Amino acid sequence: MPEHIPSGIILPVMNERSLRVLEFHKIIDTLKDQAASELGRQAAARTSPSSDLELVKLRQRETSEATAILQGEGRIPLSGIRDIRPLVEKAGIESMLQQLELLDIAETLAAGRRLRAFLVKLQERYPLIVALGRKIVVFERIEEEIARCIAGNGEVQDSASAALASARSGIKSTHARLMDRLHNILQSAQHRTAIQDPIITLREDRYCIPVKSEFRSQIPGIVHDSSASGATIFVEPATVVEIGNDLKRLTIKEREEIEKVLLKLTALITAAADGIFATLDALAEIDFITARARLGLAQSAVEPELNDSGRIEMREARHPLLTGNVVPIDVEMGRRFRALLITGPNTGGKTVTLKTIGLLTLMAQSGLHVPAAAGARLAVFDEVFADIGDEQSIEQSLSTFSSHVGNIVRALADLTPNSLVLLDEIGAGTDPAEGAALAKALLDYLVEIGARTVATTHYGELKEFAFIREEVENACVEFDPETLRPTYHLIVGVPGSSNAFAIASRLGMPQQIIHKAEEELFGDHNQSASIIRDIEQARRSTLDEERKARKSRVDAESLRRRYEEMVRKAEAARVKAHESVKVEAENLIRKYTKRLDRALEDLSKQKAESGRAQKLEKEMDKTLEEMTEQLVEIPEIEEEPEGRYSFRTGDTVRIASLHQEGILLTDPREGEATVQVGVMKVTVPVSALRPPRKTSPQTEQKQEPLVSADSGVTQAQSISPELKLIAQRVEPALENLDRYMGEAIAAGLAEVRVIHGMGTGALKRAVWEYLKDNPAVESYRLAERNRGGAGATIVELKK
């Protein structure tokens, strides 16, 4: 298995004309748009199909990993990446980098560091992408130094060096002194008449005052400029010249210190150049792979299964450059036949079918996912040759036929047995008989050398040739004679019938003319057209049935997955509910225990006061009653021990979380088992399996038939004096109650307690309605507070 190979060194293996004819450049343009950086766009621009099967498989796995990350993590952080290669090269020739250039470098290195940290956390699931991420070098010192020295707006900061800070401090104080001196001159009454405007202006990097020309002598100094009219001169007063010189020297010192800082940072970049270039290569490749994944997601594309045996099988394949309501095609070749001959009307989709097969093959061999249904199979070919459309050259005076033949001749020189050949309107543009004969010979030759061929034609002779010649199969693009429109569906195994007569008839051509034309074309005894139509209709019906069967399988599989998910969720909910009930009960017990403790403590202190003691005893009784009622309210969850059962294939088992029984189809292994529940096969956790129930949960221990009255004592000892119906629906609860009452009567019990809880009261009302009409019931009443209160009913049975 080859290791990762940068995309830039994959050499093209397909001829340029075929790439152009199949519009592969448009796929590249779309791919470039998905890249996040210029590095990724340049890598995408170099995309070219490869004929190396292992390398193409590697590319496909990379794309799949990036797709999984985007779907699972929501993003791959690629923001902030810039193409800084020219800047690193500039640093390498000892040319000083400027502030904004250094900021670009720092931002790109920081983006690489963030990307590496993101990917390393995913190392177990996405080994290929993570391996690329590990090639990113972290340059924390360079990042820190640039951040310390250069602010976000590009200015070199005082913290860059002590000398720079000192120079700037001097500039600030000197500038303040200079401004004070100039303001004094402007505000002086002595110079008011000489000053043109009371402002300070900058001329030749020196601070000046605008002075009227006729008063030049009143303000001695250096003239740096004058107005266009000559009426104003700009004078640097003599009293501030030395201060200006100081400011100039400090400004030069500041510039020198800034250059020292920039040179120091540039040297850091130069020293790390190799690592930075390696990082940029990794960033470019990751961005390129991510762009492939984004394109695949945008096209609802899938990773194809690749082979080197020339086998193509695609369902619902779509041309990636078409928009709107695109009709997908189902196509196969390479297993039963090597050549596919497509017939059908013009504008019916023959050429689109050719381009779809060719373009999806090129995409797959470039590491791109293909827009088709899951399970698509594509071959990796040495060469894809496409002769599609009319590219005749007026300058060379070549006819359409000559142009096509010239293209084919050039291709034949380079073809290998592992080539894909796409021919549009094979043999067209010349005498039909000669063109058909040449087309037959060409198809025969391509089949003999082993190339996979897809060709379109209008020639009837070629349809018959495909019936006779082994390794050649007919196909057609469907045409609806009722609407006079193509359906664009590809039907493999059926040649296209003659639609000219159907179209003419639908448009109102007299039938006698239609019949005459058919006789002229076929003759009285030639039944081939009718046979072809019958075959096409039969094949169409078969394909419809296949589509329905395939849809049914998909629906069944979807239903099975949903059922299994329901089982898992139900089991989790059951466990969660049980834990919740336990926590609630424990909290209630703690709450009332504290109240009882306080009451007992107060009672011990109030022994002398009998009235107070009696009051406390009543409060304790009330607390006990409330606690009993609250605990009765909590539904009991059936808790059966897990892991103590042993099951084998063929056993009847119960899925506890769904209360469903089924047949165990496989021995439990790895924590799961497959169970047949009705018509469904489901996979469930072994922990959810229980033995099947013989009777209801309340009476499971009572399996033997009722005994006679003289053994009533024994029965009474085995029958519980109470029945719990909490959390049951009314109908099954009444069934359980009816069964229990029969057993209690047979056992000779005089009194039983039915625990129904309070809840909404519906279950209690249903129980009382049942008891009212039961002739074996002497009386019934709400239980005493210490026996459940309103949450239970005491039933006295007739003797």
Side-chain angles (χ1 to χ4, degrees):
M1 185 68 63
E3 296 182 355
H4 172 80
I5 301 175
S7 60
I9 70 170
I10 298 178
L11 299 177
V13 298
M14 308 299 166
N15 66 76
E16 290 298 324
R17 183 179 181 282
S18 294
L19 296 177
R20 183 178 68 256
V21 166
L22 293 171
E23 300 180 292
F24 186 67
H25 62 281
K26 292 184 179 180
I27 296 295
I28 299 303
D29 290 341
T30 308
L31 178 61
K32 287 161 60 178
D33 291 340
Q34 298 293 337
S37 68
E38 182 60 27
L39 291 172
R41 283 186 286 275
Q42 290 181 18
R46 296 192 297 269
T47 300
S48 181
S50 171
S51 60
D52 186 327
L53 177 62
E54 295 304 318
L55 180 57
V56 175
K57 285 183 177 180
L58 176 66
R59 288 274 182 233
Q60 287 289 346
R61 290 202 307 276
E62 290 173 346
T63 305
S64 294
E65 282 193 8
T67 301
I69 295 174
L70 290 175
Q71 291 176 323
E73 306 297 326
R75 68 187 182 100
I76 295 178
L78 292 166
S79 60
I81 298 175
R82 292 175 169 78
D83 185 6
I84 58 173
R85 288 172 298 187
L87 303 182
V88 181
E89 292 170 355
K90 177 181 177 181
I93 59 174
E94 300 182 353
S95 180
M96 184 178 71
L97 296 173
Q98 298 303 310
Q99 293 97 307
L100 294 180
E101 293 174 332
L102 288 163
L103 286 178
D104 282 349
I105 291 175
E107 186 171 356
T108 300
L109 298 182
R113 171 175 49 80
R114 291 192 297 269
L115 178 59
R116 176 190 169 96
F118 172 84
L119 293 176
V120 166
K121 292 188 296 185
L122 311 175
Q123 58 184 342
E124 294 182 359
R125 290 171 286 170
Y126 312 107
L128 296 177
I129 303 295
V130 172
L132 277 173
R134 292 190 179 281
K135 293 184 178 181
I136 297 173
V137 183
V138 176
F139 300 93
E140 289 185 355
R141 179 166 177 261
I142 293 178
E143 288 183 53
E144 291 170 356
E145 281 299 296
I146 293 177
R148 182 180 67 83
C149 296
I150 303 176
N153 59 4
E155 291 186 4
V156 178
Q157 302 185 100
D158 293 353
S159 57
S161 75
L164 176 60
S166 175
R168 284 181 172 169
S169 177
I171 288 173
K172 185 176 180 181
S173 60
T174 303
H175 182 269
R177 285 194 298 116
L178 178 60
M179 291 298 106
D180 287 344
R181 188 71 60 86
L182 291 173
H183 280 299
N184 289 336
I185 295 173
L186 291 175
Q187 296 169 4
S188 170
Q190 176 185 355
H191 301 118
R192 189 170 301 161
T193 56
I195 295 174
Q196 186 74 274
D197 294 301
I199 61 173
I200 300 171
T201 184
L202 201 62
R203 290 291 188 276
E204 296 180 351
D205 223 18
R206 307 288 290 198
Y207 290 96
C208 303
I209 294 174
V211 179
K212 299 173 183 177
S213 298
E214 61 270 28
F215 295 102
R216 162 73 182 83
S217 59
Q218 288 192 14
I219 301 180
I222 301 172
V223 177
H224 289 283
D225 199 3
S226 63
S227 65
S229 64
T232 302
I233 59 175
F234 298 93
V235 178
E236 181 184 14
T239 55
V240 301
V241 169
E242 190 56 37
I243 300 177
N245 290 340
D246 290 342
L247 184 61
K248 188 70 173 178
R249 284 192 292 270
L250 287 169
T251 302
I252 293 172
K253 177 66 173 176
E254 177 193 31
R255 189 179 303 121
E256 291 173 348
E257 291 303 321
I258 288 175
E259 288 184 358
K260 288 180 182 179
V261 171
L262 297 180
L263 287 171
K264 179 181 177 182
L265 295 176
T266 300
L268 290 178
I269 303 302
T270 303
D274 290 343
I276 294 175
F277 280 127
T279 294
L280 294 176
D281 286 342
L283 293 176
E285 192 66 17
I286 294 171
D287 191 6
F288 172 41
I289 295 170
T290 305
R292 301 201 308 253
R294 286 178 177 148
L295 180 61
L297 290 171
Q299 295 177 340
S300 299
V302 298
E303 178 184 352
E305 298 178 24
L306 300 170
N307 64 84
D308 57 1
S309 58
R311 186 173 176 181
I312 296 175
E313 291 182 13
M314 290 187 289
R315 298 284 179 268
E316 300 179 17
R318 306 176 301 281
H319 193 292
L321 299 178
L322 296 181
T323 57
N325 187 22
V326 179
V327 178
I329 63 169
D330 296 349
V331 62
E332 64 167 310
M333 67 178 301
R335 183 169 60 90
R336 296 184 294 109
F337 51 87
R338 295 181 183 176
L340 189 64
L341 190 63
I342 305 174
T343 52
N346 288 331
T347 70
K350 300 191 303 297
T351 302
V352 171
T353 298
L354 278 184
K355 288 188 174 182
T356 301
I357 296 171
L359 192 52
L360 266 56
T361 296
L362 295 178
M363 290 174 64
Q365 293 186 218
S366 301
L368 298 170
H369 287 178
V370 296
R377 290 188 177 94
L378 283 168
V380 174
F381 293 103
D382 296 335
E383 179 70 77
V384 174
F385 171 77
D387 181 47
I388 300 174
D390 182 9
E391 291 195 348
Q392 73 179 58
S393 171
I394 296 177
E395 292 181 1
Q396 298 178 11
S397 300
L398 293 176
S399 67
T400 299
F401 177 74
S402 299
S403 176
H404 285 306
V405 170
N407 293 332
I408 293 171
V409 169
R410 285 189 292 273
L412 291 177
D414 299 324
L415 287 183
T416 68
N418 187 35
S419 295
L420 176 63
V421 181
L422 307 171
L423 302 173
D424 194 21
E425 297 298 343
I426 183 172
T430 186
D431 176 77
E434 294 182 359
L438 186 60
K440 289 180 186 178
L442 178 58
L443 287 173
D444 197 58
Y445 174 78
L446 293 173
V447 169
E448 285 298 324
I449 68 171
R452 301 300 185 267
T453 305
V454 184
T456 67
T457 184
H458 281 99
Y459 294 146
E461 296 94 324
L462 292 183
K463 305 175 191 177
E464 298 173 3
F465 171 75
F467 272 122
I468 299 170
R469 180 65 164 89
E470 292 183 359
E471 302 287 350
V472 181
E473 180 63 276
N474 270 308
C476 70
V477 285
E478 208 173 26
F479 182 85
D480 189 342
E482 296 297 321
T483 63
L484 303 184
R485 292 179 179 275
T487 67
Y488 303 104
H489 287 118
L490 180 69
I491 304 177
V492 176
V494 178
S497 60
S498 175
N499 294 301
F501 298 148
I503 294 172
S505 179
R506 288 284 296 169
L507 293 176
M509 181 74 72
Q511 286 301 308
Q512 64 187 59
I513 298 177
I514 299 294
H515 293 323
K516 180 65 175 177
E518 289 177 340
E519 290 176 4
E520 288 290 334
L521 180 62
F522 302 118
D524 293 335
H525 304 291
N526 193 330
Q527 301 297 318
S528 62
S530 176
I531 293 172
I532 288 175
R533 282 193 295 269
D534 291 343
I535 293 174
E536 182 177 359
Q537 184 60 43
R539 178 59 175 162
R540 185 182 294 112
S541 298
T542 301
L543 288 176
D544 287 342
E545 292 301 321
E546 287 179 356
R547 291 192 191 103
K548 291 178 183 177
R550 191 159 55 243
K551 184 178 185 302
S552 296
R553 287 196 298 272
V554 171
D555 291 345
E557 178 63 20
S558 175
L559 184 61
R560 185 186 67 80
R561 287 195 297 267
R562 288 172 57 191
Y563 194 86
E564 290 180 358
E565 181 64 20
M566 185 175 68
V567 170
R568 285 190 289 270
K569 288 182 178 179
E571 178 67 11
R574 186 186 73 84
V575 174
K576 183 178 180 181
H578 178 65
E579 292 299 321
S580 176
V581 167
K582 286 175 62 179
V583 170
E584 184 178 353
E586 290 170 358
N587 289 338
L588 283 172
I589 291 171
R590 279 196 295 269
K591 171 185 172 182
Y592 287 108
T593 299
K594 288 180 181 179
R595 288 176 57 179
L596 288 171
D597 288 344
R598 286 197 298 270
L600 288 170
E601 185 178 349
D602 290 343
L603 183 62
S604 63
K605 294 178 181 178
Q606 302 294 335
K607 285 182 178 179
E609 302 178 19
S610 60
R612 173 65 174 163
Q614 290 176 0
K615 184 177 180 181
L616 288 171
E617 287 178 355
K618 290 180 179 179
E619 185 175 335
M620 290 173 60
D621 290 339
K622 182 180 179 182
T623 298
L624 285 169
E625 291 172 2
E626 290 179 4
M627 182 173 72
T628 302
E629 290 178 7
Q630 292 286 345
L631 291 176
V632 167
E633 283 285 298
I634 301 173
E636 291 190 356
I637 301 296
E638 175 190 11
E639 180 65 16
E640 298 178 79
E642 300 177 3
R644 65 182 181 85
Y645 305 110
S646 177
F647 300 112
R648 291 181 299 178
T649 300
D651 287 351
T652 299
V653 295
R654 178 167 52 88
I655 304 174
S657 53
L658 292 182
H659 305 292
Q660 294 285 333
E661 292 188 2
I663 303 299
L664 191 63
L665 298 180
T666 61
D667 289 337
R669 61 180 182 277
E670 297 182 0
E672 292 186 336
T674 302
V675 181
Q676 180 83 42
V677 180
V679 297
M680 295 291 297
K681 293 180 182 178
V682 296
T683 301
V684 298
V686 174
S687 60
L689 298 182
R690 302 288 186 274
R693 281 196 172 134
K694 296 292 190 287
T695 62
S696 67
Q698 287 76 18
T699 60
E700 192 165 349
Q701 75 274 21
K702 183 69 179 176
Q703 299 299 327
E704 62 275 0
L706 296 176
V707 297
S708 59
D710 58 358
S711 61
V713 174
T714 305
Q715 277 195 327
Q717 291 175 348
S718 64
I719 296 296
S720 172
E722 66 179 26
L723 173 68
K724 295 179 182 179
L725 300 178
I726 293 175
Q728 295 185 25
R729 295 178 181 270
V730 170
E731 186 174 346
L734 291 180
E735 291 178 0
N736 291 331
L737 176 60
D738 186 62
R739 186 183 303 108
Y740 173 76
M741 291 293 289
E743 294 177 354
I745 293 168
L749 296 181
E751 180 183 279
V752 296
R753 183 170 69 135
V754 179
I755 303 172
H756 43 66
M758 288 183 285
T760 62
L763 183 56
K764 176 203 159 192
R765 287 193 296 272
V767 169
W768 280 36
E769 282 293 322
Y770 170 84
L771 295 175
K772 181 178 70 174
D773 298 329
N774 193 318
V777 175
E778 181 72 32
S779 65
Y780 55 89
R781 67 182 184 278
L782 286 178
E784 295 78 10
R785 286 185 176 274
N786 61 351
R787 298 185 66 189
T793 295
I794 303 299
V795 183
E796 293 184 3
L797 302 176
K798 292 180 180 180
K799 296 182 181 179

